[in-house]
Amino acid sequence: MIELNGIQLDKTSAVPLYEQLRKALLEAITSGKLSAGTKLPTEEELCAQFGISRPVARQAYNMLIESLKAEIQEKQEILSHLSQDKIKQKFIENWNPTTRSVNIYDM
């Protein structure tokens, strides 16, 4: 079982347990505390480790997946925008005003 050291859930908090767990897992993933390729604990293991119910673990994982999808999509949009800017810049650099053309071989 993978120990998620440093993650603590406050059962007296107004923040739902699934949200606390989602945020903690997301932080562990994005900060590098969990290295790439590390398998996350099963729902059953999360339940045992944190004393939570299976629906709470399942909801945390479902919300984590949605958070990661949104983050990936945001990064893809940024990369797409940067790529378009590079293409525009290359076009401008290779524009020949005399012939009113672009040398595509230099792009």
Side-chain angles (χ1 to χ4, degrees), residues 2-86:
I2 297 168
E3 283 294 319
L4 297 172
N5 297 326
I7 295 179
Q8 295 195 3
L9 303 180
D10 182 359
K11 293 183 179 184
T12 63
S13 172
V15 178
L17 291 172
Y18 63 84
E19 177 60 17
Q20 292 179 48
L21 184 55
R22 180 203 66 85
K23 286 173 80 172
L25 290 169
L26 184 61
E27 169 63 25
I29 291 168
T30 57
S31 71
K33 289 178 187 172
L34 288 175
S35 57
T38 302
K39 284 188 172 186
L40 293 173
T42 65
E43 290 175 1
E44 203 170 68
E45 291 170 335
L46 285 176
C47 294
Q49 190 168 348
F50 295 107
I52 57 176
S53 68
R54 197 157 191 164
V56 169
R58 183 172 297 130
Q59 188 165 3
Y61 270 156
N62 287 338
M63 291 179 68
L64 175 65
I65 290 166
E66 291 305 313
S67 297
L68 291 171
K69 281 182 185 177
E71 194 169 310
I72 289 168
Q73 184 176 1
E74 181 181 317
K75 287 181 180 181
Q76 285 175 333
E77 288 171 4
I78 290 168
L79 288 174
S80 175
H81 182 70
L82 291 175
S83 294
Q84 290 174 4
D85 285 349
K86 280 187 170 185

Coordinates of all heavy atoms in Angstrom, one line a residue, residues 2-86:
I2 N 0.5 2.2 -0.8 CA 1.2 3.5 -0.9 C 0.8 4.4 0.3 O -0.4 4.6 0.5 CB 1.0 4.2 -2.2 CG1 1.5 3.4 -3.3 CG2 1.6 5.6 -2.2 CD1 1.0 3.9 -4.7
E3 N 1.7 4.8 1.1 CA 1.4 5.7 2.2 C 1.4 7.1 1.7 O 2.3 7.6 1.0 CB 2.5 5.6 3.3 CG 2.3 4.3 4.1 CD 1.1 4.3 5.0 OE1 0.7 5.4 5.5 OE2 0.4 3.3 5.0
L4 N 0.4 7.8 1.9 CA 0.3 9.2 1.6 C 0.6 10.1 2.8 O -0.3 10.7 3.4 CB -1.2 9.5 1.0 CG -1.5 8.7 -0.2 CD1 -3.0 8.9 -0.6 CD2 -0.7 9.1 -1.4
N5 N 1.9 10.1 3.1 CA 2.4 10.8 4.2 C 2.1 12.3 4.1 O 2.2 12.8 3.0 CB 3.9 10.6 4.5 CG 4.2 9.1 4.7 OD1 3.3 8.4 5.4 ND2 5.3 8.6 4.3
G6 N 1.7 12.9 5.2 CA 1.5 14.3 5.2 C 0.0 14.7 4.9 O -0.4 15.8 5.1
I7 N -0.7 13.8 4.4 CA -2.1 14.1 4.1 C -3.0 13.8 5.3 O -2.9 12.6 5.8 CB -2.7 13.3 2.9 CG1 -2.0 13.7 1.6 CG2 -4.2 13.4 2.7 CD1 -2.4 12.9 0.4
Q8 N -3.7 14.8 5.8 CA -4.5 14.6 6.9 C -5.9 15.2 6.6 O -6.0 16.2 6.0 CB -3.9 15.3 8.2 CG -2.6 14.7 8.6 CD -2.2 15.1 10.0 OE1 -3.0 15.8 10.6 NE2 -1.1 14.7 10.4
L9 N -6.9 14.4 7.0 CA -8.3 14.9 6.7 C -8.9 15.3 8.1 O -8.7 14.6 9.1 CB -9.1 13.8 6.1 CG -8.6 13.2 4.8 CD1 -9.5 12.1 4.3 CD2 -8.4 14.2 3.8
D10 N -9.5 16.5 8.1 CA -10.2 17.0 9.3 C -11.7 16.7 9.2 O -12.4 17.3 8.5 CB -9.9 18.5 9.3 CG -10.5 19.2 10.6 OD1 -11.1 18.4 11.4 OD2 -10.4 20.4 10.7
K11 N -12.1 15.7 10.0 CA -13.5 15.3 10.0 C -14.4 16.3 10.6 O -15.6 16.1 10.5 CB -13.6 13.9 10.6 CG -12.9 12.8 9.8 CD -13.0 11.4 10.4 CE -12.3 10.4 9.5 NZ -12.5 9.1 10.0
T12 N -13.8 17.3 11.3 CA -14.7 18.3 11.9 C -14.8 19.5 11.0 O -15.6 20.4 11.4 CB -14.1 18.7 13.3 OG1 -12.8 19.3 13.1 CG2 -14.0 17.6 14.2
S13 N -14.1 19.6 9.9 CA -14.1 20.7 9.0 C -15.4 20.8 8.3 O -16.1 19.8 8.0 CB -13.0 20.6 8.0 OG -13.1 21.6 7.0
A14 N -15.8 22.0 7.9 CA -17.0 22.2 7.0 C -16.7 21.8 5.6 O -17.6 21.6 4.8 CB -17.4 23.7 7.0
V15 N -15.4 21.7 5.2 CA -15.1 21.2 3.9 C -15.3 19.7 3.8 O -14.7 19.0 4.7 CB -13.6 21.5 3.6 CG1 -13.2 21.0 2.2 CG2 -13.4 23.0 3.7
P16 N -16.0 19.2 2.9 CA -16.3 17.8 2.8 C -15.0 17.0 2.7 O -14.0 17.4 2.1 CB -17.1 17.6 1.5 CG -17.7 19.0 1.2 CD -16.7 19.9 1.8
L17 N -15.0 15.8 3.2 CA -13.8 14.9 3.2 C -13.4 14.6 1.8 O -12.2 14.6 1.6 CB -14.1 13.6 4.0 CG -14.4 13.7 5.5 CD1 -14.8 12.4 6.0 CD2 -13.1 14.1 6.2
Y18 N -14.3 14.4 0.9 CA -13.9 14.1 -0.5 C -13.1 15.2 -1.1 O -12.2 15.0 -1.8 CB -15.1 13.6 -1.4 CG -16.1 14.7 -1.5 CD1 -16.0 15.7 -2.5 CD2 -17.3 14.7 -0.7 CE1 -17.0 16.6 -2.7 CE2 -18.3 15.6 -0.9 CZ -18.1 16.6 -1.9 OH -19.1 17.6 -2.0
E19 N -13.5 16.5 -0.8 CA -12.9 17.7 -1.3 C -11.5 17.8 -0.6 O -10.5 18.2 -1.3 CB -13.7 18.9 -1.1 CG -13.1 20.2 -1.5 CD -12.7 20.2 -3.0 OE1 -13.2 19.4 -3.8 OE2 -11.9 21.1 -3.4
Q20 N -11.4 17.6 0.6 CA -10.1 17.6 1.3 C -9.1 16.6 0.7 O -8.0 16.9 0.4 CB -10.2 17.3 2.8 CG -11.0 18.3 3.6 CD -11.1 17.9 5.1 OE1 -10.1 17.5 5.7 NE2 -12.3 18.0 5.6
L21 N -9.6 15.4 0.5 CA -8.8 14.4 -0.1 C -8.4 14.7 -1.6 O -7.3 14.5 -2.0 CB -9.5 13.0 0.0 CG -8.7 11.8 -0.5 CD1 -7.4 11.6 0.2 CD2 -9.6 10.5 -0.3
R22 N -9.4 15.2 -2.4 CA -9.1 15.6 -3.7 C -8.0 16.6 -3.8 O -7.0 16.5 -4.6 CB -10.3 16.1 -4.4 CG -10.1 16.5 -5.9 CD -11.1 17.5 -6.4 NE -11.0 18.8 -5.7 CZ -10.2 19.8 -6.1 NH1 -9.4 19.7 -7.1 NH2 -10.2 20.9 -5.4
K23 N -8.1 17.6 -3.0 CA -7.1 18.7 -3.0 C -5.7 18.2 -2.5 O -4.7 18.6 -3.1 CB -7.6 19.9 -2.0 CG -8.7 20.7 -2.6 CD -9.2 21.7 -1.6 CE -8.4 22.9 -1.5 NZ -9.0 24.0 -0.7
A24 N -5.7 17.4 -1.5 CA -4.4 16.8 -1.1 C -3.8 15.9 -2.1 O -2.6 16.0 -2.3 CB -4.7 16.0 0.2
L25 N -4.6 15.1 -2.8 CA -4.0 14.2 -3.8 C -3.5 15.1 -5.0 O -2.5 14.8 -5.6 CB -5.1 13.2 -4.3 CG -5.4 12.1 -3.3 CD1 -6.7 11.4 -3.8 CD2 -4.3 11.2 -3.1
L26 N -4.3 16.1 -5.4 CA -3.9 16.9 -6.5 C -2.6 17.6 -6.2 O -1.7 17.7 -7.0 CB -5.0 17.9 -6.8 CG -4.8 18.9 -8.0 CD1 -4.6 18.1 -9.3 CD2 -6.0 19.9 -8.2
E27 N -2.5 18.1 -5.0 CA -1.3 18.8 -4.6 C -0.1 17.8 -4.6 O 1.0 18.2 -5.1 CB -1.4 19.4 -3.2 CG -0.2 19.9 -2.5 CD 0.5 21.0 -3.2 OE1 -0.2 21.8 -3.9 OE2 1.7 21.2 -3.1
A28 N -0.3 16.6 -4.1 CA 0.8 15.6 -4.1 C 1.2 15.3 -5.6 O 2.4 15.1 -5.8 CB 0.3 14.3 -3.4
I29 N 0.3 15.3 -6.5 CA 0.6 14.9 -7.9 C 1.3 16.1 -8.5 O 2.4 16.0 -9.1 CB -0.7 14.6 -8.6 CG1 -1.2 13.2 -8.2 CG2 -0.4 14.5 -10.2 CD1 -2.6 12.9 -8.6
T30 N 0.7 17.3 -8.4 CA 1.3 18.5 -9.1 C 2.6 19.0 -8.5 O 3.4 19.6 -9.2 CB 0.3 19.6 -9.2 OG1 -0.1 20.0 -7.9 CG2 -0.9 19.2 -10.0
S31 N 2.8 18.7 -7.2 CA 4.1 19.2 -6.6 C 5.2 18.2 -6.8 O 6.3 18.5 -6.5 CB 3.8 19.4 -5.1 OG 3.7 18.1 -4.5
G32 N 4.9 17.0 -7.3 CA 5.9 16.0 -7.5 C 6.1 15.1 -6.3 O 7.0 14.2 -6.3
K33 N 5.4 15.3 -5.2 CA 5.5 14.4 -4.1 C 5.2 12.9 -4.5 O 5.8 12.0 -4.0 CB 4.6 14.8 -2.9 CG 5.0 16.1 -2.2 CD 4.0 16.4 -1.2 CE 4.3 17.8 -0.6 NZ 3.2 18.3 0.3
L34 N 4.2 12.8 -5.4 CA 4.0 11.5 -6.0 C 4.6 11.5 -7.4 O 4.2 12.3 -8.2 CB 2.5 11.2 -6.2 CG 1.7 10.9 -4.9 CD1 0.2 10.8 -5.2 CD2 2.2 9.7 -4.2
S35 N 5.6 10.7 -7.6 CA 6.3 10.8 -8.9 C 5.5 10.1 -10.0 O 4.6 9.3 -9.7 CB 7.7 10.1 -8.7 OG 7.5 8.8 -8.3
A36 N 5.9 10.5 -11.2 CA 5.2 10.0 -12.4 C 5.2 8.5 -12.4 O 6.3 7.9 -12.1 CB 5.8 10.6 -13.7
G37 N 4.1 7.9 -12.7 CA 4.1 6.4 -12.7 C 3.7 5.7 -11.4 O 3.4 4.5 -11.4
T38 N 3.6 6.5 -10.4 CA 3.2 6.0 -9.1 C 1.8 5.7 -9.1 O 0.9 6.5 -9.5 CB 3.5 7.0 -7.9 OG1 4.9 7.3 -7.9 CG2 3.1 6.4 -6.6
K39 N 1.4 4.4 -8.7 CA 0.0 4.0 -8.6 C -0.6 4.6 -7.4 O 0.0 4.6 -6.3 CB -0.1 2.5 -8.6 CG 0.1 1.9 -9.9 CD -0.3 0.4 -9.8 CE -0.2 -0.2 -11.2 NZ -0.7 -1.6 -11.1
L40 N -1.8 5.2 -7.6 CA -2.5 5.7 -6.4 C -3.1 4.6 -5.6 O -3.4 3.5 -6.2 CB -3.6 6.7 -6.9 CG -3.1 8.0 -7.5 CD1 -4.2 8.8 -8.0 CD2 -2.3 8.8 -6.4
P41 N -3.4 4.8 -4.4 CA -4.0 3.7 -3.6 C -5.4 3.4 -4.1 O -6.1 4.3 -4.7 CB -4.1 4.3 -2.2 CG -3.2 5.4 -2.1 CD -3.1 5.9 -3.5
T42 N -5.8 2.2 -3.9 CA -7.2 1.8 -4.3 C -8.2 2.5 -3.4 O -7.8 3.0 -2.3 CB -7.4 0.3 -4.2 OG1 -7.3 -0.1 -2.8 CG2 -6.4 -0.5 -5.0
E43 N -9.4 2.5 -3.7 CA -10.5 3.1 -2.9 C -10.4 2.4 -1.5 O -10.5 3.1 -0.5 CB -11.8 2.9 -3.5 CG -12.1 3.8 -4.7 CD -13.4 3.5 -5.4 OE1 -14.2 2.7 -4.9 OE2 -13.7 4.2 -6.4
E44 N -10.3 1.1 -1.5 CA -10.2 0.3 -0.3 C -9.1 0.8 0.6 O -9.2 0.9 1.8 CB -10.1 -1.2 -0.7 CG -10.6 -2.1 0.4 CD -10.6 -3.5 -0.2 OE1 -9.6 -4.1 -0.4 OE2 -11.8 -4.0 -0.3
E45 N -7.9 1.0 0.0 CA -6.7 1.4 0.7 C -6.9 2.8 1.3 O -6.5 3.1 2.4 CB -5.5 1.3 -0.2 CG -5.1 -0.1 -0.5 CD -4.0 -0.1 -1.6 OE1 -3.9 0.8 -2.4 OE2 -3.3 -1.1 -1.6
L46 N -7.5 3.7 0.5 CA -7.8 5.0 1.0 C -8.7 5.0 2.3 O -8.5 5.7 3.2 CB -8.5 5.9 0.0 CG -7.6 6.4 -1.2 CD1 -8.4 7.2 -2.2 CD2 -6.5 7.3 -0.6
C47 N -9.7 4.1 2.2 CA -10.7 3.9 3.3 C -10.0 3.5 4.5 O -10.2 4.0 5.6 CB -11.8 2.9 2.9 SG -12.9 3.5 1.6
A48 N -9.1 2.5 4.4 CA -8.3 2.0 5.5 C -7.4 3.0 6.1 O -7.2 3.2 7.3 CB -7.6 0.7 5.1
Q49 N -6.7 3.7 5.2 CA -5.7 4.7 5.6 C -6.3 5.9 6.3 O -5.7 6.4 7.3 CB -4.9 5.1 4.4 CG -3.6 5.9 4.8 CD -2.7 6.1 3.6 OE1 -2.8 5.5 2.6 NE2 -1.7 7.0 3.8
F50 N -7.4 6.4 5.8 CA -8.0 7.6 6.3 C -9.3 7.4 7.2 O -9.9 8.4 7.7 CB -8.3 8.6 5.2 CG -7.0 9.1 4.5 CD1 -6.7 8.6 3.3 CD2 -6.1 9.9 5.1 CE1 -5.6 9.0 2.6 CE2 -5.0 10.4 4.5 CZ -4.7 9.9 3.2
G51 N -9.8 6.2 7.3 CA -11.0 5.9 8.0 C -12.2 6.6 7.4 O -13.0 7.2 8.1
I52 N -12.3 6.5 6.1 CA -13.4 7.1 5.3 C -14.2 6.0 4.6 O -13.7 4.9 4.5 CB -12.9 8.2 4.3 CG1 -11.9 7.5 3.3 CG2 -12.3 9.4 5.0 CD1 -11.5 8.4 2.2
S53 N -15.4 6.4 4.2 CA -16.2 5.4 3.5 C -15.8 5.3 2.0 O -15.2 6.2 1.5 CB -17.7 5.8 3.6 OG -17.9 7.0 2.9
R54 N -16.2 4.2 1.4 CA -15.9 4.0 0.0 C -16.5 5.1 -0.9 O -15.8 5.6 -1.8 CB -16.3 2.6 -0.4 CG -15.6 2.2 -1.7 CD -15.6 0.7 -1.8 NE -14.7 0.4 -2.8 CZ -14.2 -0.8 -3.0 NH1 -14.5 -1.8 -2.2 NH2 -13.4 -1.1 -4.0
P55 N -17.7 5.5 -0.7 CA -18.3 6.6 -1.5 C -17.5 7.9 -1.4 O -17.3 8.6 -2.4 CB -19.7 6.8 -1.0 CG -20.1 5.4 -0.4 CD -18.8 4.9 0.2
V56 N -16.9 8.2 -0.3 CA -16.1 9.4 -0.1 C -14.8 9.2 -1.0 O -14.4 10.1 -1.7 CB -15.7 9.6 1.4 CG1 -14.7 10.7 1.5 CG2 -17.0 10.0 2.1
A57 N -14.2 8.1 -0.9 CA -13.0 7.8 -1.7 C -13.3 7.9 -3.2 O -12.5 8.5 -3.9 CB -12.4 6.4 -1.3
R58 N -14.4 7.3 -3.6 CA -14.8 7.3 -5.0 C -15.0 8.7 -5.5 O -14.6 9.1 -6.6 CB -16.0 6.4 -5.2 CG -16.4 6.3 -6.6 CD -17.5 5.2 -6.9 NE -17.0 3.9 -6.5 CZ -17.6 3.1 -5.6 NH1 -18.8 3.4 -5.1 NH2 -17.1 1.9 -5.3
Q59 N -15.7 9.5 -4.7 CA -16.0 10.8 -5.1 C -14.7 11.7 -5.2 O -14.6 12.5 -6.1 CB -17.0 11.5 -4.2 CG -17.5 12.8 -4.7 CD -18.8 13.3 -4.0 OE1 -19.3 12.7 -3.0 NE2 -19.3 14.4 -4.4
A60 N -13.8 11.5 -4.3 CA -12.6 12.2 -4.3 C -11.8 11.9 -5.6 O -11.3 12.8 -6.3 CB -11.7 11.8 -3.1
Y61 N -11.8 10.6 -5.9 CA -11.1 10.2 -7.2 C -11.8 10.7 -8.4 O -11.1 11.2 -9.3 CB -10.9 8.6 -7.2 CG -9.7 8.1 -6.6 CD1 -9.6 6.8 -6.2 CD2 -8.5 8.9 -6.5 CE1 -8.5 6.3 -5.6 CE2 -7.4 8.4 -5.9 CZ -7.3 7.1 -5.5 OH -6.2 6.6 -4.9
N62 N -13.1 10.7 -8.4 CA -13.8 11.2 -9.6 C -13.6 12.7 -9.8 O -13.4 13.1 -10.9 CB -15.3 10.9 -9.5 CG -15.7 9.4 -9.7 OD1 -14.9 8.7 -10.3 ND2 -16.8 9.0 -9.2
M63 N -13.6 13.4 -8.7 CA -13.3 14.8 -8.8 C -11.9 15.1 -9.1 O -11.6 16.1 -9.8 CB -13.7 15.5 -7.4 CG -15.2 15.5 -7.2 SD -15.7 16.2 -5.7 CE -15.3 17.9 -6.0
L64 N -11.0 14.3 -8.6 CA -9.5 14.4 -9.0 C -9.3 14.3 -10.5 O -8.6 15.0 -11.1 CB -8.7 13.4 -8.2 CG -7.2 13.3 -8.5 CD1 -6.5 14.6 -8.1 CD2 -6.6 12.2 -7.8
I65 N -10.0 13.3 -11.0 CA -9.9 13.0 -12.5 C -10.4 14.3 -13.2 O -9.7 14.7 -14.2 CB -10.7 11.8 -12.9 CG1 -9.9 10.5 -12.3 CG2 -10.9 11.7 -14.4 CD1 -10.8 9.2 -12.4
E66 N -11.5 14.8 -12.8 CA -12.0 16.0 -13.5 C -11.1 17.2 -13.4 O -10.9 17.9 -14.3 CB -13.4 16.4 -13.0 CG -14.5 15.4 -13.3 CD -14.6 15.1 -14.8 OE1 -14.7 16.1 -15.6 OE2 -14.7 13.9 -15.2
S67 N -10.5 17.3 -12.2 CA -9.5 18.4 -12.0 C -8.3 18.3 -12.9 O -7.8 19.2 -13.5 CB -9.0 18.4 -10.5 OG -10.1 18.7 -9.7
L68 N -7.8 17.0 -13.0 CA -6.6 16.8 -13.8 C -7.0 17.0 -15.3 O -6.2 17.5 -16.1 CB -6.1 15.4 -13.6 CG -5.5 15.2 -12.2 CD1 -5.1 13.7 -12.0 CD2 -4.2 16.0 -12.1
K69 N -8.2 16.6 -15.7 CA -8.6 16.8 -17.1 C -8.6 18.3 -17.4 O -8.2 18.7 -18.5 CB -10.0 16.2 -17.4 CG -10.0 14.7 -17.6 CD -11.5 14.3 -17.8 CE -11.6 12.8 -17.9 NZ -13.1 12.4 -18.1
A70 N -9.2 19.1 -16.5 CA -9.3 20.5 -16.7 C -7.9 21.1 -16.8 O -7.6 22.0 -17.6 CB -10.1 21.1 -15.6
E71 N -7.0 20.7 -16.0 CA -5.6 21.2 -16.0 C -4.9 20.9 -17.3 O -4.2 21.7 -17.9 CB -4.8 20.6 -14.8 CG -3.6 21.4 -14.5 CD -2.9 21.0 -13.2 OE1 -3.7 21.0 -12.2 OE2 -1.7 20.7 -13.2
I72 N -5.1 19.6 -17.7 CA -4.5 19.2 -19.0 C -5.0 20.0 -20.2 O -4.3 20.5 -21.0 CB -4.7 17.7 -19.2 CG1 -3.8 16.9 -18.3 CG2 -4.4 17.3 -20.7 CD1 -4.2 15.4 -18.2
Q73 N -6.4 20.2 -20.2 CA -7.0 21.0 -21.2 C -6.5 22.4 -21.3 O -6.2 23.0 -22.3 CB -8.5 21.0 -21.1 CG -9.2 21.7 -22.3 CD -10.7 21.6 -22.2 OE1 -11.3 21.0 -21.2 NE2 -11.4 22.2 -23.1
E74 N -6.3 23.0 -20.1 CA -5.8 24.4 -20.0 C -4.4 24.5 -20.5 O -4.1 25.4 -21.3 CB -5.8 24.8 -18.5 CG -5.4 26.2 -18.3 CD -5.4 26.6 -16.8 OE1 -6.3 26.2 -16.1 OE2 -4.4 27.2 -16.4
K75 N -3.6 23.5 -20.2 CA -2.2 23.5 -20.7 C -2.2 23.3 -22.2 O -1.4 23.9 -22.9 CB -1.4 22.4 -20.0 CG -1.1 22.8 -18.6 CD -0.2 21.8 -17.8 CE 0.0 22.3 -16.4 NZ 0.8 21.5 -15.6
Q76 N -3.1 22.4 -22.8 CA -3.1 22.2 -24.2 C -3.5 23.5 -24.9 O -3.0 23.8 -26.0 CB -4.1 21.1 -24.5 CG -3.6 19.7 -24.2 CD -4.6 18.6 -24.4 OE1 -5.8 18.8 -24.3 NE2 -4.1 17.4 -24.7
E77 N -4.5 24.2 -24.3 CA -4.9 25.5 -24.9 C -3.8 26.5 -24.9 O -3.6 27.2 -25.9 CB -6.1 26.1 -24.2 CG -7.4 25.3 -24.4 CD -8.5 25.7 -23.5 OE1 -8.4 26.6 -22.7 OE2 -9.6 25.0 -23.6
I78 N -3.0 26.6 -23.9 CA -1.9 27.5 -23.8 C -0.8 27.1 -24.9 O -0.3 27.9 -25.6 CB -1.2 27.5 -22.4 CG1 -2.2 28.1 -21.4 CG2 0.1 28.2 -22.4 CD1 -1.8 27.9 -19.9
L79 N -0.5 25.8 -25.0 CA 0.4 25.3 -26.0 C -0.1 25.6 -27.4 O 0.7 26.0 -28.3 CB 0.7 23.8 -25.8 CG 1.5 23.5 -24.6 CD1 1.6 21.9 -24.5 CD2 2.9 24.1 -24.7
S80 N -1.4 25.4 -27.6 CA -1.9 25.7 -28.9 C -1.8 27.2 -29.3 O -1.4 27.5 -30.4 CB -3.4 25.3 -29.0 OG -4.0 25.7 -30.2
H81 N -2.1 28.0 -28.3 CA -1.9 29.5 -28.5 C -0.5 29.8 -28.8 O -0.2 30.6 -29.7 CB -2.5 30.2 -27.3 CG -2.4 31.7 -27.4 ND1 -3.3 32.4 -28.3 CD2 -1.6 32.6 -26.9 CE1 -3.0 33.7 -28.2 NE2 -2.0 33.8 -27.4
L82 N 0.4 29.3 -28.0 CA 1.9 29.5 -28.3 C 2.3 29.1 -29.7 O 3.0 29.7 -30.3 CB 2.7 28.9 -27.2 CG 2.6 29.4 -25.8 CD1 3.4 28.6 -24.8 CD2 3.1 30.9 -25.8
S83 N 1.8 27.9 -30.1 CA 2.1 27.4 -31.4 C 1.6 28.3 -32.5 O 2.3 28.6 -33.5 CB 1.5 26.0 -31.6 OG 2.1 25.1 -30.7
Q84 N 0.4 28.8 -32.3 CA -0.2 29.7 -33.3 C 0.7 31.0 -33.3 O 0.9 31.6 -34.4 CB -1.6 30.0 -33.0 CG -2.5 28.9 -33.2 CD -3.9 29.1 -32.7 OE1 -4.3 30.2 -32.3 NE2 -4.8 28.1 -32.8
D85 N 1.1 31.5 -32.2 CA 1.9 32.7 -32.1 C 3.3 32.5 -32.9 O 3.8 33.3 -33.6 CB 2.2 33.1 -30.7 CG 1.0 33.8 -30.0 OD1 0.0 34.1 -30.8 OD2 1.0 34.0 -28.8
K86 N 3.8 31.3 -32.7 CA 5.1 30.9 -33.4 C 4.9 30.9 -34.9 O 5.7 31.4 -35.6 CB 5.7 29.6 -32.9 CG 6.4 29.7 -31.6 CD 7.0 28.4 -31.3 CE 8.0 28.5 -30.1 NZ 8.7 27.3 -29.8

